[in-house]
């Protein structure tokens, strides 16, 4: 569908320009020559020549090209907002009308100079310019985000407002360009109505980057398991479609799709929910978690200063001072986050940063502490307990694929790579009689097209991350979290304003 619309658009645009050039006294065949055609429009309409060169600027130049064609249309004595809207949104229909209709003719510069723009149109043009400029900045330069959950605490707090630099890793060309401005995947005031149209889908492409994603960067990305969701507020990315399919419907897709209680929607890749985590592994790294400690390539991974993890703390049965807990550890006993859980009058489970644990150890009622480990098997990627009986605190080892890797496929490891091959890299994958058939060919190897990353939250026991849904492909990377420009919790958190993110 998208390819068909693209072809129709190209043919319609050039057919219309052929007729418009002829009416303007320019040899019609020149309308078919890219860039030369706009050069001739600039000359014919006496537009300053530097505008032609400015249209060669990536992305922003496309809007200049549109403006040049609007000036061209105005020389046909078409000044109305409706005509200019058709020039922008439906040129493949409107240009053939202008070029081929006997009722339309070229009036030239005299008609253009005699036009006086009304005040209302000035306001409309200013508004359109503002929307276009803001959209370009939001899409290709930086975007503001707000932290919705505690998965990165206390590096990032709920209601921290961030700037995310999209140029760091190279801004993506939007895969789904037809969408409502300034929102992501749902319409304003709705949690279920899509904000985009899937008529046109553009292949993955990224502008030149300043740097690659590095280990320990804090990264915003499109949630890989969010492509298919249950379109209800209590599900979405909170309780994924894949978890419901696995645990509630025991893998029966037909039964899930037939259930009216679980309406399904499939998002394009760039319209899945945005997540923010720390990149703890890049392509080629080997990760291993032992008793809650993360190792990368056999070495202990960096522990961010604001990272939280759970500890079992034993006391001499003397109670903790609630004021100390709140002021020094940020633990409010009335808070629903449950940062503190009491096992007995002398045993507690705390969710703490390394600095907070040090403070706790200095209290007179402290006896000992040990890391809390979660050893429940059955909820982690790749959902294959027979071959990978892992838990979130005892996980791996697992190697992160890099671009150009040759993956050796076996019945034991295919669960690691099914989604990579079929979904992220767009191949057909069949498994028949112990054989793997990729794009119609029997094979036991696959060469990866993209780099992959492993993302984890700094709040390790309160984070839905790669341990649950696996690799993050480079196609899903949005940008680097760079700056906290505002923060709010019953009032501004002044100390966090304009704070860089590490």
């Amino acid at each position: 569908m998208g390819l068909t619309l693209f072809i129709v658009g190209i043919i319609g645009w050039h057919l219309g320009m052929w007729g418009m050039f002829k009416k303007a006294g320019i040899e019609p065949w020149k309308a078919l020559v890219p860039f030369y055609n706009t050069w001739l429009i600039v000359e014919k309409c006496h537009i300053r020549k530097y505008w032609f060169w400015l249209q060669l600027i990536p992305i922003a130049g496309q809007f200049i090209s549109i403006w040049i064609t609007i000036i061209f249309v105005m020389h046909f004595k078409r000044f109305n907002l409706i005509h200019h809207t058709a020039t922008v949104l439906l040129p493949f229909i409107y240009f053939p009308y202008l070029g081929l209709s006997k009722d339309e003719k070229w009036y030239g510069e005299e008609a253009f100079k005699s036009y006086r723009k009304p005040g209302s149109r000035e306001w409309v043009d200013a508004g359109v310019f503002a929307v276009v400029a803001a959209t370009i900045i939001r899409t290709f330069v930086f975007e503001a985000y707000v932290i919705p959950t505690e998965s990165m605490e206390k590096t990032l707090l709920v209601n921290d407002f961030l700037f995310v630099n999209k140029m760091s890793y190279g801004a993506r060309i939007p895969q789904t360009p037809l969408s409502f401005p300034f929102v992501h995947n749902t319409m304003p005031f709705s949690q279920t109505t899509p904000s985009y149209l899937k008529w046109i889908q553009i292949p993955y492409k990224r502008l030149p980057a300043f740097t690659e994603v590095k280990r320990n960067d804090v990264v915003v990305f499109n949630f890989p398991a969010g492509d298919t969701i249950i379109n209800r507020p209590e599900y979405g990315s909170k309780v994924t479609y894949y978890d419901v399919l696995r645990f509630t419907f025991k893998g029966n897709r037909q039964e899930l799709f037939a259930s009216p209680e679980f309406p399904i929607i499939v998002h394009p890749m760039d319209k899945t929910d945005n997540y923010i985590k720390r990149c703890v592994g890049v392509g080629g790294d080997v990760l291993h978690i032992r008793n809650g400690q993360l190792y990368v390539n056999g070495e202990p991974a960096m522990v961010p200063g604001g990272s939280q993890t759970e500890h079992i703390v034993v006391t001499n049965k003397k109670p903790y001072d609630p004021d100390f807990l709140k002021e020094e550890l940020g633990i409010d006993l009335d808070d629903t986050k449950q940062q503190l859980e009491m096992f007995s009058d002398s045993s507690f489970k705390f969710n703490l940063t390394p600095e907070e644990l040090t403070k706790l150890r200095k209290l007179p009622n402290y006896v000992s502490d040990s890391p809390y480990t979660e050893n429940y098997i059955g909820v982690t990627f790749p959902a294959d307990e027979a071959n990978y009986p892992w838990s979130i605190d005892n996980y791996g080892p697992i190697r992160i694929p890099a671009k150009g890797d040759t993956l050796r496929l076996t019945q034991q490891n295919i669960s690691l790579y099914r989604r990579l091959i079929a979904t992220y890299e767009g191949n057909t994958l069949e498994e028949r009689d112990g054989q793997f058939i990729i794009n119609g060919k029997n094979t036991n190897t696959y060469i990866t097209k993209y780099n992959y990353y492993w993302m984890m939250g700094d709040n390790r026991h309160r984070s839905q991350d790669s341990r649950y849904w696996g690799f993050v492909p480079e196609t899903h990377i949005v940008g680097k979290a760079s700056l906290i420009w505002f923060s709010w919790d019953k009032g501004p958190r002044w100390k966090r304003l304009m704070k860089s993110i590490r």
Side-chain angles (χ1 to χ4, degrees):
M1 180 65 176
L3 180 61
T4 301
L5 285 174
F6 177 77
I7 293 172
V8 169
I10 292 295
I11 293 174
W13 194 95
H14 286 89
L15 177 64
M17 278 291 167
W18 177 285
M20 292 168 71
F21 269 43
K22 186 175 182 180
K23 288 182 178 181
I26 308 172
E27 292 180 81
W29 67 267
K30 295 180 179 179
L32 306 180
V33 183
F35 295 110
Y36 183 48
N37 48 23
T38 51
W39 174 263
L40 294 173
I41 293 174
V42 165
E43 282 192 328
K44 189 71 178 180
C45 297
H46 301 289
I47 300 170
R48 294 185 184 275
K49 296 293 190 345
Y50 61 75
W51 287 109
F52 171 82
W53 300 108
L54 288 175
Q55 75 170 333
L56 304 181
I57 299 172
I59 310 306
Q62 304 304 309
F63 293 92
I64 295 173
S65 299
I66 292 171
W67 172 76
I68 290 171
T69 59
I70 289 175
I71 299 298
F72 193 35
V73 165
M74 291 174 74
H75 283 71
F76 283 80
K77 218 171 187 176
R78 290 304 178 195
F79 306 115
N80 192 284
L81 181 62
I82 294 176
H83 294 276
H84 294 177
T85 301
T87 300
V88 174
L89 301 180
L90 300 169
F92 52 91
I93 297 174
Y94 184 60
F95 288 175
Y97 165 74
L98 277 183
L100 304 179
S101 172
K102 294 180 180 179
D103 298 328
E104 301 292 338
K105 67 178 184 177
W106 171 263
Y107 290 91
E109 191 174 8
E110 183 178 346
F112 178 76
K113 287 183 175 180
S114 66
Y115 172 65
R116 295 293 178 269
K117 190 181 297 185
S120 59
R121 180 62 187 275
E122 294 280 2
W123 282 100
V124 170
D125 286 354
V128 170
F129 175 80
V131 169
V132 169
T135 299
I136 292 174
I137 292 171
R138 182 177 183 270
T139 303
F140 300 103
V141 183
F142 67 84
E143 186 173 355
Y145 288 85
V146 60
I147 299 297
T149 68
E150 57 182 312
S151 71
M152 283 294 291
E153 289 190 349
K154 294 182 179 171
T155 302
L156 299 171
L157 305 180
V158 174
N159 289 332
D160 275 349
F161 292 76
L162 317 178
F163 281 137
V164 175
N165 186 346
K166 295 189 173 183
M167 297 187 295
S168 291
Y169 308 133
R172 288 182 311 185
I173 304 300
Q175 178 186 348
T176 311
L178 300 180
S179 62
F180 193 87
F182 309 131
V183 297
H184 185 47
N185 53 19
T186 57
M187 292 295 287
F189 312 110
S190 171
Q191 292 183 304
T192 57
T193 304
S195 63
Y196 55 85
L197 298 173
K198 292 191 281 188
W199 297 348
I200 299 175
Q201 292 286 289
I202 298 174
Y204 167 68
K205 184 69 177 177
R206 195 176 287 275
L207 297 181
F210 291 109
T211 183
E212 296 181 348
V213 179
K214 293 185 175 66
R215 198 181 303 124
N216 300 319
D217 282 356
V218 178
V219 180
V220 172
F221 56 95
N222 294 115
F223 180 36
D227 53 351
T228 305
I229 66 166
I230 296 169
N231 197 26
R232 287 169 54 181
E234 64 270 31
Y235 286 92
S237 293
K238 300 173 188 175
V239 181
T240 69
Y241 156 84
Y242 298 99
D243 284 344
V244 172
L245 174 63
R246 181 183 176 195
F247 296 114
T248 304
F249 288 86
K250 308 304 180 186
N252 190 326
R253 293 179 185 272
Q254 290 74 22
E255 185 179 347
L256 173 53
F257 272 79
S259 174
E261 297 180 15
F262 297 92
I264 303 297
I265 187 170
V266 178
H267 284 311
M269 176 270 293
D270 61 333
K271 294 300 181 182
T272 66
D273 285 351
N274 289 318
Y275 269 33
I276 183 167
K277 308 288 179 188
R278 189 176 298 276
C279 176
V280 298
V282 299
D285 284 345
V286 176
L287 274 77
H288 196 179
I289 303 174
R290 292 198 297 268
N291 296 322
Q293 172 68 55
L294 174 65
Y295 295 83
V296 179
N297 301 325
E299 299 293 330
M302 181 199 82
V303 178
S307 64
Q308 290 189 147
T309 190
E310 292 180 335
H311 300 265
I312 302 299
V313 179
V314 177
T315 71
N316 60 8
K317 298 188 179 182
K318 289 184 179 180
Y320 286 106
D321 179 1
D323 291 336
F324 170 84
L325 295 176
K326 188 171 184 178
E327 294 172 12
E328 297 296 326
L329 306 184
I331 296 176
D332 186 344
L333 296 179
D334 297 324
D335 195 345
T336 56
K337 291 181 183 177
Q338 295 181 337
Q339 300 290 82
L340 169 62
E341 184 178 350
M342 184 174 180
F343 290 159
S344 70
D345 59 357
S346 63
S347 180
F348 303 83
K349 183 170 73 172
F350 282 90
N351 195 30
L352 301 169
T353 67
E355 181 183 1
E356 291 166 347
L357 181 59
T358 298
K359 290 180 180 180
L360 206 62
R361 286 170 174 167
K362 294 179 180 179
L363 294 178
N365 65 344
Y366 170 83
V367 174
S368 66
D369 69 84
S370 59
Y372 171 81
T373 56
E374 176 59 72
N375 292 311
Y376 180 78
I377 295 171
V379 296
T380 58
F381 173 80
D384 179 7
E385 297 91 72
N387 293 300
Y388 303 99
W390 298 340
S391 70
I392 62 170
D393 283 332
N394 282 285
Y395 191 96
I398 185 171
R399 184 183 184 278
I400 315 304
K403 182 178 180 179
D405 274 358
T406 298
L407 305 178
R408 300 286 175 183
L409 306 180
T410 68
Q411 291 297 312
Q412 287 70 42
N413 72 10
I414 188 61
S415 58
L416 291 172
Y417 304 123
R418 278 195 190 98
R419 190 163 174 80
L420 181 157
I421 295 169
T423 301
Y424 302 148
E425 306 210 349
N427 302 284
T428 61
L429 171 63
E430 298 178 68
E431 299 169 53
R432 190 185 308 155
D433 300 326
Q435 299 294 312
F436 303 108
I437 305 170
I438 300 177
N439 299 326
K441 297 181 180 179
N442 285 351
T443 184
N444 63 354
T445 62
Y446 178 76
I447 300 176
T448 56
K449 294 192 296 185
Y450 302 125
N451 280 310
Y452 290 82
Y453 306 97
W454 196 263
M455 305 290 184
M456 291 177 67
D458 285 357
N459 195 359
R460 291 291 162 82
H461 286 101
R462 313 291 175 91
S463 173
Q464 185 193 66
D465 54 36
S466 285
R467 292 171 294 178
Y468 295 93
W469 33 257
F471 312 120
V472 177
E474 66 175 72
T475 54
H476 288 53
I477 300 297
V478 174
K480 181 179 182 180
S482 301
L483 181 73
I484 300 170
W485 61 273
F486 186 68
S487 188
W488 180 270
D489 180 24
K490 302 175 184 177
R493 299 183 183 114
W494 298 108
K495 292 182 179 180
R496 299 187 66 76
L497 269 59
M498 308 309 293
K499 180 179 179 182
S500 62
I501 298 171
R502 294 185 176 87

